[in-house]
Amino acid sequence: MTLPDGALRAFAGPVSGSDIAAAIGPGLAKAAIALSVDGRLRDLATSIDHDAAVAVITREMPEGLEILRHDAAHVMAEAVKELYPETQVTFGPATETGFYYDFARTQPFTPEDLERIEARMHEIVRRDEPITREVWDREAAIAYFSDIGERYKAEYIAEIPQDEEISLYRQGDFVDLCIGPHLPSTGRLGQAFKLMNVAGAYWRGDPKNAQLQRVYGTAWAAQKDLDEYLYRLEEAERRDHRRLGRELDLFHMGEEAVGSVFWHPKGWTLFRIIESYMRRRLDAAGYQEVKAPQLLDRSLWEASGHWENFRDNMFIAESRDARVLAVKPMNCPGHVLIFRNRLRSYRELPLRLAEFGNCHRNEPSGALHGLMRVRAFTQDDAHIFCTEDQVKSESIAICRLVLSVYRDFGFDDVEIKFADRPPQRVGGDAVWDRAERDLKAAVEAAGLPFTYNPGEGAFYGPKLEFHLRDALGRQWQCGTLQLDFNMPERLGASYVGEDGGRHVPVMLHRAILGSVERFIGILIEHYAGRLPLWLAPVQIVVASITSGAAEYAAEAARACRAAGLRTGLDIGNEKIAYKVREHSLAKTPIILVVGRREQADRSVALRRLGSNDQEALALGDAVARLSQEAAAPSAT
RNA sequence: GCCGGGUUAGCACAGUGGCAGUGCAGCGGUUUUGUAAACCGAAGGUCGGGGGUUCGAAUCCCUCACCCGGCACCA
């Protein structure tokens, strides 16, 4: 046997994983839960009768944790079958943080049921039932599961390819079809798991099938990992942008406009700061801003392909003269119309048209989620009309701009995915081949690593997706770059080339923030509401200690405002401790406290959010320093 | 859209068939305060909408809307 460190170990005859672990050391024998044989995961009890590269898997290893979680799903299924024998089991895999199992049962599981199931799971772990693998004859397995009323299992076994083994795992009285591997016994699972919630899920993910009840759980190698995970969940809840949006008085959403945002003064201030930052970056990058109509005639959407491919998501309206119009779900057709409004020369290319486009998409009600998924949003959209030769340099410039913008907002960890042709699309395969080739060449030329996201391209072209990672480690798709050989032609865009002939331009669709609304949601959660100074809607509050200092406080606030700082004034008759608390909870980055002392020597006591210290400095110095600090990044 | 759970004052929540409550915020007053909650007072409700059962409904039933968690969707 070859061990991971390259060491060789010889055994007289066939050995099991337990034998190998025991041969290496008693500590490992105890920690072992499974085995990797020539790169494939096996049960510890598997007998190996040939030379192989083996590695002992422990519960702390990623592979081990996955096995443990998969076992938690089986233990849950066993508990459910014991408590509710009429329930049918279906699938129960491990997830990123735990596991789930889909059950078929007429009666819904209640939170109380979940408590009972969890208690029974702990009991099954204490029973420490051996988990054993059995290979069954296909027909016998189908007959067995049919007999005990497990129709989903029987259906599934019948579809397993003929050349594959039908392996079953037995623990106590519970037998489940499973590829494995599994722990040697239920006791090895440990008690660091918890059932989280129950939700509906379609059998095999298809809405046409029956809806099952999916019970989610989380499981970890050790109790402290579970505690940490539960703490992370609480932290995510504290950072929830819907909650912070209300607490910080940024926006609200209501029944009167489901899926749309009512921006309050502070939230809209943030929106405008972001917008003007982007305008500055776009101006510097050679874009020209435009504004296209909200409502556009049906014939345009038919020509663009939206009517055929995107109709379900579009809001339709009618004019008095009975023309059918659609509220724009995308900005591209409008920009093409601006492009082709007059004859264009190759000398104008690349022509970069940008718009903060207000788009409406009729999302299914169940998809809506705060600012993250709305029906009305603002895209920081742009379309670049260029020649095929210019695709590469334009794409590189876009990638650089995207990454630079993300850095300015505090996101350094960005992943790029390449999404190729989707099943439903316009344009022939030859065109798609060319588009995919060019886009890939461009991202490669930009020197950026990427992974694949097959079948996820736009209906008119392949795309690059920019996914950024926030402070909690969650990924969000924001930016996108799409290469489109189809729409310019469909909408009749052309330019006069060097040769005097007409040519169809290539179009690059790109967004950086994606939806400004959603990006704000991500920012709020990333910073837990404590926005950096340049983004904070209220940057400073000047708070007086006594009414005697109110005059001077007002003067200090005026000085800040004159320097362009967004400044509030609090001369109420509360104690200073109360004011500090109020403005700290409101996540104001800077509090300038002024009392008699400060008034006397024209100074301020500067207190930063998150710090308990104050710094005394002259009013003029404070204003100078803060206005420098508050400057937006990349303001060259 | 589907499954499940919710909706009580601006916010957080209690109230399971018999007089709608608590805390915070807001409002009025007192207090003039030195870095994360001073004190007193008065007010605030179509218990999500509609329908039903009942002598009586926030409470039980039906229905619609919206919200939450997933699923599906995210072009």
Side-chain angles (χ1 to χ4, degrees):
Chain A
M1 298 298 159
T2 312
L3 302 181
D5 61 0
L8 290 172
R9 233 166 239 271
F11 295 88
V15 286
S16 72
S18 319
D19 298 334
I20 295 169
I24 298 170
L28 189 63
K30 216 175 145 200
I33 59 169
L35 197 66
S36 157
V37 181
D38 293 327
R40 299 183 61 177
L41 293 174
R42 300 283 185 206
D43 296 322
L44 212 50
T46 309
S47 175
I48 310 163
D49 58 4
H50 58 281
D51 293 351
V54 298
V56 175
I57 307 293
T58 63
R59 55 196 290 124
E60 280 80 19
M61 298 166 72
E63 302 92 328
L65 191 54
E66 193 180 330
I67 292 169
L68 187 121
R69 286 170 173 159
H70 187 183
D71 267 89
H74 277 234
V75 169
M76 175 162 73
E78 182 179 0
V80 166
K81 289 296 285 185
E82 285 184 9
L83 292 165
Y84 314 97
E86 76 287 3
T87 307
Q88 290 186 69
V89 298
T90 66
F91 277 107
T95 66
E96 284 277 300
T97 56
F99 60 94
Y100 66 80
Y101 210 114
D102 287 345
F103 299 105
R105 180 175 183 245
T106 324
Q107 225 187 326
F109 287 115
T110 65
E112 292 73 36
D113 291 337
L114 256 55
E115 279 174 36
R116 285 186 69 196
I117 295 166
E118 190 177 309
R120 182 61 66 97
M121 287 173 70
H122 285 291
E123 193 188 314
I124 291 169
V125 170
R126 281 191 298 271
R127 281 187 218 152
D128 198 17
E129 297 165 349
I131 302 172
T132 53
R133 181 173 191 269
E134 300 169 10
V135 176
W136 281 40
D137 170 70
R138 177 178 305 261
E139 296 310 321
I142 294 173
Y144 171 77
F145 283 110
S146 300
D147 279 357
I148 61 170
E150 296 283 6
R151 290 182 291 108
Y152 290 92
K153 282 286 174 194
E155 177 189 325
Y156 184 70
I157 294 172
E159 291 172 29
I160 293 178
Q162 286 299 328
D163 55 340
E164 279 180 34
E165 271 184 351
I166 309 294
S167 70
L168 275 64
Y169 279 80
R170 183 185 296 276
Q171 55 190 67
D173 295 330
F174 177 65
V175 180
D176 199 359
L177 170 81
C178 190
I179 271 191
H182 277 285
L183 301 171
S185 69
T186 58
R188 303 298 294 277
L189 173 57
Q191 304 285 5
F193 60 83
K194 184 175 163 57
L195 297 190
M196 303 303 284
N197 57 341
V198 58
Y202 303 107
W203 168 237
R204 299 185 151 183
D206 189 337
K208 288 195 285 291
N209 290 339
Q211 193 152 33
L212 309 168
Q213 294 187 67
R214 176 170 297 180
V215 179
Y216 280 93
T218 184
W220 299 85
Q223 184 64 35
K224 73 164 178 29
D225 298 333
L226 173 62
D227 293 342
E228 261 169 43
Y229 173 69
L230 295 176
Y231 180 79
R232 276 213 305 282
L233 286 187
E234 285 170 29
E235 179 59 22
E237 204 181 315
R238 275 190 289 276
R239 286 170 180 246
D240 191 312
H241 73 281
R242 294 166 297 185
R243 173 196 182 124
L244 286 167
R246 182 178 55 242
E247 288 175 0
L248 304 181
D249 197 17
L250 300 174
F251 65 89
H252 84 268
M253 305 185 76
E255 297 188 37
E256 303 82 355
V258 172
S260 303
V261 188
F262 291 83
W263 287 105
H264 296 192
K266 285 178 189 163
W268 190 244
T269 299
L270 175 57
F271 197 108
R272 289 173 54 208
I273 293 163
I274 292 170
E275 220 176 37
S276 47
Y277 163 84
M278 287 307 295
R279 283 207 166 95
R280 192 157 48 69
R281 299 301 312 264
L282 293 179
D283 287 348
Y287 288 79
Q288 295 172 280
E289 189 173 328
V290 298
K291 195 78 179 174
Q294 294 294 315
L295 283 162
L296 295 138
D297 198 86
R298 167 180 175 162
S299 58
L300 175 68
W301 301 111
E302 284 172 346
S304 69
H306 285 84
W307 198 261
E308 193 187 339
N309 290 286
F310 207 61
R311 173 87 207 273
D312 283 351
N313 288 290
M314 289 160 70
F315 287 102
I316 312 295
E318 206 174 288
S319 68
R320 307 176 71 117
D321 45 359
R323 288 181 74 133
V324 175
L325 304 152
V327 185
K328 67 174 180 182
M330 295 188 198
N331 304 301
C332 23
H335 292 183
V336 175
L337 294 190
I338 292 172
F339 179 88
R340 66 154 214 212
N341 182 55
R342 65 169 167 79
L343 205 55
R344 298 284 178 179
S345 151
Y346 72 94
R347 294 173 195 275
E348 292 180 76
L349 307 185
L351 185 74
R352 310 182 187 91
L353 299 182
E355 177 174 358
F356 292 94
N358 297 111
C359 295
H360 288 74
R361 296 183 186 178
N362 200 348
E363 304 284 0
S365 60
L368 302 176
H369 179 92
L371 297 178
M372 302 304 191
R373 193 78 181 271
V374 288
R375 285 186 176 144
F377 60 99
T378 310
Q379 249 186 348
D380 66 321
D381 205 359
H383 294 91
I384 297 168
F385 298 87
C386 62
T387 66
E388 199 169 340
D389 287 345
Q390 292 168 331
V391 165
K392 190 180 282 183
S393 58
E394 285 302 305
S395 298
I396 293 171
I398 290 166
C399 289
R400 298 230 167 101
L401 181 62
V402 168
L403 297 178
S404 158
V405 166
Y406 290 172
R407 254 194 312 280
D408 283 350
F409 282 106
F411 299 106
D412 293 315
D413 190 350
V414 183
E415 196 180 312
I416 299 175
K417 294 185 182 163
F418 183 92
D420 59 15
R421 68 193 77 184
Q424 197 185 356
R425 58 181 183 261
V426 296
D429 285 350
V431 174
W432 275 89
D433 287 343
R434 202 151 55 94
E436 287 172 1
R437 187 197 63 208
D438 284 3
L439 187 60
K440 203 176 299 178
V443 64
E444 277 163 359
L448 298 167
F450 64 94
T451 57
Y452 287 95
N453 200 0
E456 293 295 320
F459 71 77
Y460 43 74
K463 67 179 179 184
L464 293 182
E465 302 170 352
F466 296 86
H467 297 253
L468 53 82
R469 199 178 286 279
D470 73 9
L472 257 43
R474 298 170 302 186
Q475 275 201 334
W476 303 94
Q477 191 204 319
C478 292
T480 175
L481 165 57
Q482 304 163 3
L483 176 52
D484 183 359
F485 286 152
N486 287 303
M487 205 168 297
E489 176 151 38
R490 291 179 74 104
L491 296 181
S494 68
Y495 64 93
V496 178
E498 227 170 328
D499 57 4
R502 292 266 183 143
H503 302 274
V504 177
V506 177
M507 188 154 104
L508 292 170
H509 307 238
R510 116 274 172 285
I512 299 177
L513 308 178
S515 143
V516 179
E517 284 77 359
R518 182 157 174 277
F519 194 78
I520 289 177
I522 296 166
L523 276 177
I524 293 170
E525 303 205 352
H526 179 62
Y527 286 111
R530 299 183 163 205
L531 294 166
L533 192 60
W534 74 281
L535 288 171
V538 177
Q539 297 171 307
I540 302 169
V541 167
V542 181
S544 60
I545 293 175
T546 76
S547 52
E551 246 341 273
Y552 176 63
E555 187 194 333
R558 276 197 302 276
C560 293
R561 287 186 195 126
L565 294 160
R566 297 181 292 275
T567 309
L569 175 64
D570 185 352
I571 50 171
N573 68 349
E574 306 291 347
K575 286 183 156 181
I576 192 61
Y578 182 89
K579 293 183 184 179
V580 166
R581 180 180 149 83
E582 284 281 279
H583 303 301
S584 297
L585 289 176
K587 310 201 190 292
T588 310
I590 305 284
I591 303 175
L592 296 181
V593 176
V594 298
R596 291 187 201 285
R597 278 207 306 268
E598 287 75 12
Q599 180 173 359
D601 59 11
R602 302 192 56 75
S603 66
V604 293
L606 188 155
R607 183 192 165 107
R608 288 172 192 275
L609 182 61
S611 157
N612 290 320
D613 297 333
Q614 310 106 51
E615 187 183 357
L617 68 175
L619 175 57
D621 293 346
V623 172
R625 193 197 290 183
L626 289 174
S627 48
Q628 195 175 5
E629 251 182 66
S634 295
T636 42

